[in-house]
Amino acid sequence: MMDHWFPIALLMAFLGLDETAVGQFMVSRPIVAGPLVGWILGRPDIGLELGALVELIWIGDLPVGAHLPLDLMTLTSVSVALACELVKGQSPEAVMTYALGVAIPLAALSTEVEITMRKFHVHWLHFAQRMAFNAHFQTFEWVNFLVLTEQLLKGFLMATAFLTLAHLSAGFYALDRKSTR
């Protein structure tokens, strides 16, 4: 996985923009993101299985009102990347279960970071409203671009950190497999 971390982190960053900021074409849904990550790693079958599983388990967790659901795109992408790294010579079901167990806390952390970022973005919103009210529309466009760039950078850095943590946790899976023999 670590030789493919850069394209996966870039994909996760751009898919993160699809969730709320740009387009909302539903490409960031687990059923689509899983096979994309699996395809990059040469195992789209694992990506499809994990993507479908995550989609079905969390299909009812909707962003209604102030509730922000678990970051399913991060959950799917990290679990698929970890499962594809560990699956060589192992049972795919056991590997996918371990990968989901590792990725769920990371997705919860990603959701908490998103909540914190949204609280910070209120300051940009008020600034942009003042600029639009005073007919400084180019400043308004600049703020929009800045926030989108910030979202993309946050997605890339979080993906890089989470993929690294998932890779480091692969050693625990190997230790667990040795102790059960």
Side-chain angles (χ1 to χ4, degrees):
M1 177 188 72
M2 288 311 284
D3 53 340
H4 295 311
W5 73 268
F6 187 74
I8 294 171
L10 273 178
L11 176 69
M12 289 174 66
F14 280 105
L15 289 179
L17 288 179
D18 177 63
E19 284 184 275
T20 56
V22 177
Q24 295 182 344
F25 297 112
M26 305 306 276
V27 180
S28 61
R29 296 300 303 169
I31 196 74
V32 179
L36 284 174
V37 172
W39 177 71
I40 291 173
L41 295 171
R43 293 297 304 260
D45 56 328
I46 290 178
L48 183 62
E49 278 188 63
L50 274 171
L53 180 66
V54 169
E55 187 80 54
L56 288 173
I57 291 174
W58 279 281
I59 199 163
D61 194 14
L62 301 172
V64 178
H67 172 68
L68 192 62
L70 193 65
D71 188 355
L72 298 181
M73 189 275 305
T74 297
L75 171 63
T76 305
S77 301
V78 171
S79 62
V80 168
L82 181 59
C84 288
E85 179 181 3
L86 295 175
V87 78
K88 297 166 183 69
Q90 304 290 334
S91 163
E93 291 81 16
V95 167
M96 288 189 280
T97 304
Y98 178 78
L100 273 175
V102 168
I104 288 173
L106 297 175
L109 179 61
S110 177
T111 302
E112 291 301 317
V113 169
E114 181 66 26
I115 290 170
T116 304
M117 296 259 318
R118 287 184 181 198
K119 289 177 183 176
F120 175 72
H121 286 163
V122 170
H123 300 294
W124 286 115
L125 172 69
H126 295 307
F127 177 72
Q129 285 175 338
R130 282 193 311 272
M131 293 297 111
F133 182 71
N134 294 326
H136 297 288
F137 297 113
Q138 287 185 344
T139 306
F140 184 77
E141 292 170 3
W142 175 80
V143 168
N144 191 26
F145 176 76
L146 182 69
V147 170
L148 284 176
T149 305
E150 182 182 280
Q151 284 291 107
L152 184 69
L153 185 62
K154 185 238 3 158
F156 180 75
L157 294 175
M158 295 287 290
T160 302
F162 290 163
L163 289 170
T164 302
L165 287 172
H167 175 71
L168 293 175
S169 77
F172 293 119
Y173 182 78
L175 289 175
D176 183 47
R177 298 293 296 170
K178 289 178 184 175
S179 66
T180 58
R181 290 183 184 171

